[in-house]
Amino acid sequence: MAPKVDKVVSDRVLPEAVDVAIVGGGIIGVAAALTLAERGISVALFEKGIVAGEQSGRNWGWCREQLRSLPEVPLAMRSMALWRGMAERIGEDAGFRQTGMMVVSKDREEVARWQQWLDDTAHYGMQGGLLSAQETRAMLPETSEDWIGAIHSPVDGWAEPATAAPAMARAAQRKGALIFQNCALRGWERSGGAISHVVTEKGRVRCSRVLVAGGAWSSLLLRNQGLKFAQSGVYATAFRTEAGPEVFAGGVGSPFFSYRRRADGGYTIGLRGRGRVELTPAGLMSARAMLPLFLSRRGDLTLRIGRSFFDGPFALHRWKLSRPSPFERHRRYDPAPDAAIVRDGIAAFRAAYPVLGELGVAESWGGLIDATPDMVPAIAPVAGEPGCVLASGFSGHGFALGPAAGELAADLLTGTAPQVDPAPFALSRFAEGRAHAIHRWV
């Protein structure tokens, strides 16, 4: 069952026209709507289900700048600055807590890679660094594991996925944005070679600019508009425990599992890198582009043919804008969790922290993480479609990067000088053979 998320009350009446239409009520789309509304730009966000109903409401909740792939570092730093000021900005708690985050290891080669990352990013002046075995033990006194070291950031933290995007969405509404839930955007119409209207299941809205922030659904929407975006998906599982004693206030990544403390006193846990890839028609079309990514993670991913071959974000669908789309059939895509991951994860967590040996699983859930071939998002204008910007393919990093990614998308839509260089996120890099090297920091 999908995790429960905080409520956002939808606006009722479609506007005749707006400056910008946003597809998707995840954290990227919501952050863009908030930024645009603050700038006095009229904006309407259309979500086929509910705000944070899919991956933005079921991720691990980590918010970090440390150990990001090198192209993402400036975006991550900007996003963390926005996270730290989010409560004051929106006038309510977005669930963010600056607790410190760390990754631990028993592998000296991995620690050497962390040192290389620290050397490569030293000019940014980020806080944190490597911890010795003794320092790691001092920070994690309850663990039964003998870690040789860790990389730690005191200024990273976590936010509650159930809270964050809904709180930001409500703030966007107070600043003038319109948000329509259970209102799928089927596509858009053109006039004179430019976007003229978006077509939703509840009617047409005149606009000249569109942001596609539909997560795993983005490539399907673009394909129906005659546009290409190489995107794949990994089915993942996470779970939360009952409330228990605190062993660390932040989050800890380890070779097998990662966890972070929750506001309710439990822990959110996921297995590092574990997931399932299902063969789909759209996936086969992108297979050549995605092959290096799958090869780099072949030890962690399982491959199979499932129901998604015929239905879901990566099936081959075509529809007319006057008829119901696949988005109306999947208001809230809710993959089943993998029971084996939950079983293995809670067993490993209890063994690593004997003080939590009796802790039970309170809830588990599945999700679909969308990915690009190089695991770096696309935040860029879409070639051949003036006025259309894409912000998708966040490869499991979208929640943490969300505030800055939405801001950057808003900059690109309005021609505002960006806080972060958009060049690393250009969609054209894939067609031009400039994809980034797949990182191995974590």
Side-chain angles (χ1 to χ4, degrees), residues 95-178:
F96 176 74
R97 303 290 183 269
Q98 183 174 301
T99 57
M101 308 291 273
M102 62 194 300
V103 182
V104 296
S105 184
K106 298 178 182 178
D107 182 348
R108 297 193 183 281
E109 290 185 2
E110 183 173 41
V111 174
R113 291 197 297 271
W114 294 345
Q115 183 60 63
Q116 183 63 57
W117 184 89
L118 289 169
D119 293 343
D120 290 342
T121 59
H123 59 286
Y124 291 116
M126 287 183 284
Q127 297 186 47
L130 297 182
L131 302 179
S132 67
Q134 292 77 17
E135 291 168 327
T136 304
R137 168 62 65 180
M139 295 195 73
L140 300 173
E142 302 291 349
T143 187
S144 63
E145 301 281 0
D146 292 321
W147 304 113
I148 65 168
I151 184 168
H152 171 255
S153 169
V155 295
D156 287 349
W158 50 263
E160 289 295 353
T163 299
M168 294 163 63
R170 292 190 294 267
Q173 286 177 307
R174 291 192 292 270
K175 296 172 186 287
L178 300 173

Side-chain angles (χ1 to χ4, degrees), residues 202-373:
K202 296 180 181 178
R204 296 163 74 243
V205 177
R206 190 168 69 251
C207 70
S208 60
R209 287 163 284 178
V210 173
L211 171 62
V212 178
W217 299 90
S218 293
S219 60
L220 176 61
L221 174 63
L222 291 172
R223 190 163 57 249
N224 199 57
Q225 295 287 150
L227 303 165
K228 293 182 179 180
F229 172 43
Q231 181 185 35
S232 186
V234 177
Y235 290 85
T237 294
F239 63 93
R240 66 177 179 90
T241 72
E242 302 164 334
E246 182 175 287
V247 295
F248 186 63
V252 177
S254 72
F256 186 65
F257 68 90
S258 298
Y259 71 87
R260 60 100 180 164
R261 186 68 162 166
R262 296 172 55 91
D264 60 15
Y267 296 87
T268 293
I269 301 174
L271 266 60
R272 181 169 160 182
R274 286 272 292 274
R276 182 181 80 251
V277 174
E278 294 191 351
L279 290 175
T280 63
L284 292 172
M285 291 170 61
S286 300
R288 183 174 181 180
M290 290 291 177
L291 184 60
L293 173 59
F294 292 144
L295 289 176
S296 72
R297 297 190 58 193
R298 62 186 180 275
D300 300 321
L301 301 175
T302 59
L303 183 66
R304 77 177 197 190
I305 297 177
R307 292 178 58 186
S308 63
F309 191 91
F310 306 100
D311 196 20
F314 300 108
L316 291 183
H317 298 290
R318 297 288 296 179
W319 64 93
K320 295 181 179 180
L321 302 188
S322 60
R323 305 289 296 172
S325 69
F327 311 122
E328 285 119 297
R329 293 199 299 272
H330 294 283
R331 296 291 181 187
R332 197 175 187 189
Y333 199 59
D334 190 22
D338 186 328
I341 288 179
V342 178
R343 182 191 64 241
D344 295 347
I346 191 63
F349 187 56
R350 290 169 177 162
Y353 295 95
V355 69
L356 302 175
E358 300 300 319
L359 205 60
V361 175
E363 183 183 26
S364 62
W365 58 88
L368 179 58
I369 299 171
D370 70 313
T372 63

